[in-house]
Amino acid sequence: MTGNGSPGVSFAAATEEPGLRVLDPVDNHQYQLDTPAPVEPVPTSGDRFAYPVDTATAVRTSAVRLPTATNVYVRSPDGALVASVEHLEQATLDAARYTLELLTPIKCYLQVESGVSIEADFAETRIDFGDDTDVLVGARSRRTRPATTVTTTADPADLLATVSTFGAALGTTMPERSYPSLRGHPPAVELGDELDTCGLAPVATDVWLELPETTEAALVAAPLAYYLGAEVRVADEPRIVTDGASYPLDGPGGFERTVERTLKTLFFMDCLTRYDGAYGHGRRLDEREAVKGQLDVDFEALYHADHADRVQEYLSVPYRVIEPHLPRWKVAATARPTATSIETLPFLVNDLALVRTPRSPSEESDEAASEQAAAVSSFLSGGGSTRASPGEFTRGPRTDSFTRSSSPGGGGTAASAGTDDLSFVSPEPADTLEQVWVGDGIPFGASEAVLTAYRNRIGREAGDGEIDITVVCNDAAMDEETDVEAVYGQRDRLPFDVELRYDLSTDELAQLLAQDHDFLHYIGHAEPDGLVCQDGKLDCAGLDETGVDTFFLNACRSYQQARGLIDAGAIVGVGSHTDVTNAGAVELGRTMARLLEHGYPFRAALDVARDHHPIGEQYIVVGDGSLAVVQSNAGTALLCDLTVSNEADLELTIHGFPTPAHGIGTEFMPLLDQAENTYYLSSGEIDSYRLSTTDVTDFFSYQPLPVRLDGELVWSDTLDVEEL
């Protein structure tokens, strides 16, 4: 089946080496399927695939070689999984009709009727059909970038029309849209003098939203309109309208919370229902098993129902029944109803964020306002948790003082020079893995989403595949933290280039920042107006441009410098608002290095790190915090809790964090005998298991994992499980 409203992927015969080139103009990606001899692609219909594809072609070849180590899943015509081949695995299948799903940067499928032999090593994957065979190739863009840009005015009616275009990026309106790879990026939005929707239209015609003509309504309902693929129409009362029925969106919890509950219900029910499609044969989803006895639902009939009928059935499900089993939502965004929020909205929607607007002072209780003011005040004063001990120093300007303040004689507050002119805000807490803030003010307890950073990401050209990491130490007294160089690049199967630089001058640092680097880990002193070098300060706000994509400025009061790097072209980074002690910064730096190196996105990495390092409250993610430096081995970033039970066994609880390539809706199967053939939705707490020490040791042998043990964050490769 072909995708609805999907931007096209194209095919071309390779010119330098025999093979088929797959081109994705949306993400500016290309991938080559190598063949023993030149091939001539012949365009054909994608309807022969059971999976959404943007386009398809036919070639004749005896083999296909994938120039990277790539997972391959082989399915029979009814969708049943016949074989899976991952790194260092192989499989040989008798002649039959197969569909091969390739986990390549551009989603690819091969359909053949022949014998198949597959072998994967560290460098490549080889697929052999024996003799020359007709191979149907389908491809689908992962659509991580907007395909086009919609122009709108700030008029609320135009904003509602703009939100109507978002669903055009969906790969399908079937339950499989709950898979992140089938949710394309909404179009970018720019403010202009008149509305221009570029001819984009929602993919669903039998379901629409009716909303009040306000900016707030457009912001809050945008993720729901996108996920439904629905048109938005102006009305006095907010509601979903399907064929012959309507559902109010202003329930007892108010408009925002009702929209959130509705989105979670539709998404979760899709996750359960999709198991009656091509991806569910022979597999068991834990969440579906947990609720199916409590729901009067025929999932098979529901899967094959019309879109409107399926939505109606979903919305009749009691929320109280499914609520305990919902995956923990990835991110909540608090967005001021401003022009910046309007232009940032597509990137929030792409993350399927819960979008909220700040409550006005008149809507807040005196108690809530007082609590938020106290939280910000405690944060700015250091909260009593990160004060320098005798003999300790901070990472602010070099002085002879060992106090937190950079001023002579010390001083007791972290809100020293450079923070007085910053306006802090405290967004309302949300039960999500991550929180972001959009608009004026610097958030406490959330990341700062910056429109420039998102635009930098979609404007950045694809790299060469090698991960360039540079560690800069600009003060010999902080040399202890340079051991993070050994942390980066530990994963043998990823091409890392790690470089350590010491004591750079302003000119040398400026030159380094002008060069292309995937990640910069800066260790040293900082002031609000510059990073401290041997011969002075370099103000990142004065840079014309930077080639640094991501960064961690582990220094005092480096927030303004972090914003300077974002404005100069970076995508995401971490800075600090206040003075930070060196000992605390070293420990936080080491933790962040390992989490980032194991595929954690920036927001999730800092959230986990700050839970175990009080100094983490002084740091903030700035930019597109959903980005990760490298991919996670497991697809999903994992965190484990480990406790010793009364029976001397161990209790292992696994938590998952969505990543750019495996967003919310991804499935995960732990490599444990107790979880054999059982999949879970991978966001939040996955499950707990009572295990022997041998079972835990075997599980930890697959990859190093962060582990919470007795209130401390440790790493599985440093644990002697037998000694617990």
Side-chain angles (χ1 to χ4, degrees):
M1 63 183 164
T2 54
N4 294 319
S6 300
V9 172
S10 63
F11 297 102
T15 55
E16 296 184 2
E17 298 290 337
L20 179 69
R21 294 176 64 210
V22 190
L23 309 172
D24 179 3
V26 177
D27 284 339
N28 194 27
H29 286 171
Q30 56 180 285
Y31 193 79
Q32 181 160 322
L33 308 177
D34 294 331
T35 55
V39 295
E40 289 293 332
V42 178
T44 188
S45 172
D47 291 339
R48 291 167 59 185
F49 286 95
Y51 314 96
V53 298
D54 293 339
T55 190
T57 194
V59 297
R60 188 166 180 82
T61 183
S62 63
V64 169
R65 183 181 69 88
L66 309 179
T68 56
T70 302
N71 294 355
V72 178
Y73 299 99
V74 185
R75 299 184 186 277
S76 61
D78 65 359
L81 185 66
V82 176
S84 64
V85 178
E86 301 182 359
H87 292 168
L88 303 179
E89 294 181 343
Q90 58 185 0
T92 300
L93 305 173
D94 293 335
R97 185 181 176 190
Y98 301 109
T99 296
L100 284 65
E101 180 180 356
L102 315 180
L103 268 64
T104 44
I106 305 171
K107 190 77 170 182
C108 292
Y109 301 91
L110 309 181
Q111 191 176 108
V112 297
E113 190 164 353
S114 71
V116 179
S117 176
I118 307 170
E119 183 176 2
D121 59 26
F122 286 115
E124 64 181 21
T125 299
R126 295 173 293 279
I127 304 171
D128 195 339
F129 309 117
D131 299 323
D132 278 354
T133 302
D134 291 327
V135 181
L136 185 66
V137 185
R140 182 176 75 243
S141 170
R142 293 187 182 271
R143 296 181 289 278
T144 59
R145 303 184 186 193
T148 189
T149 299
V150 170
T151 303
T152 183
T153 72
D155 181 86
D158 287 346
L159 298 183
L160 296 182
T162 298
V163 170
S164 289
T165 69
F166 286 4
L170 286 179
T172 180
T173 57
M174 293 293 288
E176 285 86 357
R177 66 186 164 182
S178 54
Y179 286 114
S181 64
L182 290 175
R183 299 193 299 268
H185 201 300
V189 173
E190 288 185 358
L191 286 176
D193 296 330
E194 60 182 7
L195 178 68
D196 181 1
T197 62
C198 302
L200 296 176
V203 295
T205 58
D206 51 2
V207 177
W208 65 89
L209 265 64
E210 294 183 351
L211 297 175
E213 195 173 323
T214 67
T215 301
E216 289 84 352
L219 291 172
V220 170
L224 178 60
Y226 162 74
Y227 189 75
L228 281 171
E231 180 187 1
V232 179
R233 302 176 184 178
V234 176
D236 292 334
E237 301 297 329
R239 60 179 185 164
I240 294 177
V241 181
T242 65
D243 188 17
S246 66
Y247 303 85
L249 291 174
D250 54 355
F255 173 61
E256 290 186 358
R257 298 303 178 266
T258 303
V259 168
E260 291 179 7
R261 287 170 55 136
T262 302
L263 176 60
K264 289 179 179 180
T265 298
L266 294 169
F267 172 82
F268 184 65
M269 290 302 296
D270 268 346
C271 290
L272 306 189
T273 306
R274 72 193 186 193
Y275 266 61
D276 279 281
Y279 285 91
H281 288 280
R283 302 165 71 194
R284 178 181 184 274
L285 181 68
D286 184 76
E287 290 85 352
R288 174 163 154 157
E289 297 299 315
V291 303
K292 68 180 184 181
Q294 305 175 57
L295 298 177
D296 184 19
V297 171
D298 182 343
F299 282 110
E300 183 176 3
L302 197 55
Y303 179 86
H304 295 286
D306 291 337
H307 178 234
D309 293 338
R310 193 162 50 244
V311 170
Q312 289 182 26
E313 186 72 23
Y314 287 172
L315 295 179
S316 69
V317 170
Y319 189 75
R320 58 176 174 77
V321 174
I322 64 173
E323 184 177 19
H325 308 284
L326 294 172
R328 194 171 181 195
W329 213 255
K330 180 187 177 186
V331 60
T334 304
R336 293 191 189 276
T338 64
T340 297
S341 295
I342 294 166
E343 294 183 306
T344 307
L345 189 58
F347 305 102
L348 304 177
V349 169
N350 185 59
D351 229 2
L352 217 59
L354 305 177
V355 180
R356 303 171 170 185
T357 56
R359 290 191 295 176
S360 67
S362 62
E363 294 176 306
E364 291 188 357
S365 67
D366 292 340
E367 181 181 358
S370 177
E371 288 177 355
Q372 291 199 359
V376 172
S377 176
S378 175
F379 165 64
L380 290 176
S381 66
S385 62
T386 58
R387 295 186 182 279
S389 58
E392 174 62 304
F393 61 90
T394 67
R395 293 194 169 187
R398 297 187 182 93
T399 71
D400 293 330
S401 173
F402 294 114
T403 65
R404 292 182 55 83
S405 173
S406 60
S407 59
T413 178
S416 52
T419 59
D420 292 339
D421 57 347
L422 298 181
S423 174
F424 289 90
V425 294
S426 182
E428 183 183 356
D431 185 22
T432 55
L433 292 171
E434 307 164 16
Q435 276 194 268
V436 301
W437 172 266
V438 185
D440 295 337
I442 314 304
F444 164 63
S447 300
E448 182 182 11
V450 182
L451 176 61
T452 301
Y454 292 107
R455 289 177 171 168
N456 291 343
R457 173 172 61 81
I458 63 177
R460 189 62 57 93
E461 294 183 0
D464 59 6
E466 188 170 71
I467 302 163
D468 175 279
I469 294 177
T470 301
V471 180
V472 172
C473 181
N474 254 13
D475 191 319
M478 302 177 191
D479 184 73
E480 184 181 8
E481 191 179 339
T482 59
D483 61 4
V484 298
E485 181 200 17
V487 172
Y488 297 121
Q490 286 184 351
R491 291 166 61 184
D492 296 334
R493 300 185 185 184
L494 290 177
F496 282 95
D497 179 15
V498 185
E499 181 182 13
L500 177 60
R501 302 282 300 275
Y502 284 99
D503 299 328
L504 299 185
S505 67
T506 53
D507 286 345
E508 290 170 333
L509 183 56
Q511 285 183 336
L512 184 146
L513 295 177
Q515 298 165 354
D516 291 340
H517 298 279
D518 293 301
F519 180 65
L520 168 69
H521 186 132
Y522 176 86
I523 304 164
H525 296 280
E527 297 184 41
D529 60 348
L531 300 177
V532 178
C533 300
Q534 297 302 309
D535 59 345
K537 292 180 290 187
L538 176 68
D539 189 355
C540 295
L543 298 175
D544 292 331
E545 61 180 354
T546 182
V548 172
D549 286 341
T550 65
F551 58 87
F552 178 28
L553 301 183
N554 202 2
C556 284
R557 291 175 291 140
S558 56
Y559 166 76
Q560 287 95 325
Q561 297 306 302
R563 279 301 305 261
L565 285 176
I566 295 295
D567 292 340
I571 301 170
V572 64
V574 177
S576 67
H577 291 309
T578 65
D579 286 345
V580 293
T581 62
N582 185 62
V586 168
E587 292 305 312
L588 182 79
R590 288 170 174 165
T591 298
M592 285 291 294
R594 288 217 72 174
L595 292 171
L596 292 172
E597 192 263 347
H598 277 81
Y600 268 71
F602 274 80
R603 284 196 302 255
L606 184 58
D607 285 347
V608 169
R610 67 160 56 106
D611 284 344
H612 298 86
H613 300 289
I615 199 174
E617 296 291 349
Q618 316 301 103
Y619 291 80
I620 182 174
V621 172
V622 183
D624 180 3
S626 66
L627 198 69
V629 179
V630 299
Q631 72 259 28
S632 168
N633 275 341
T636 297
L638 301 178
L639 172 67
C640 297
D641 287 322
L642 191 62
T643 57
V644 179
S645 71
N646 294 332
E647 291 78 13
D649 285 339
L650 298 173
E651 184 171 312
L652 178 73
T653 302
I654 304 173
H655 305 262
F657 295 84
T659 61
H662 296 81
I664 188 167
T666 297
E667 300 160 351
F668 173 75
M669 184 178 70
L671 297 175
L672 293 166
D673 288 343
Q674 291 185 25
E676 185 176 3
N677 202 37
T678 298
Y679 289 81
Y680 300 81
L681 299 178
S682 63
S683 184
E685 183 175 324
I686 292 171
D687 210 342
S688 296
Y689 306 90
R690 186 67 61 84
L691 302 170
S692 68
T693 55
T694 300
D695 292 334
V696 174
T697 300
D698 289 344
F699 180 72
F700 286 160
S701 70
Y702 293 112
Q703 63 172 318
L705 293 171
V707 180
R708 293 188 294 211
L709 177 66
D710 296 329
E712 299 292 328
L713 186 68
V714 297
W715 285 83
S716 60
D717 56 358
T718 67
L719 282 177
D720 186 346
V721 177
E722 298 289 343
E723 297 297 321
L724 296 178

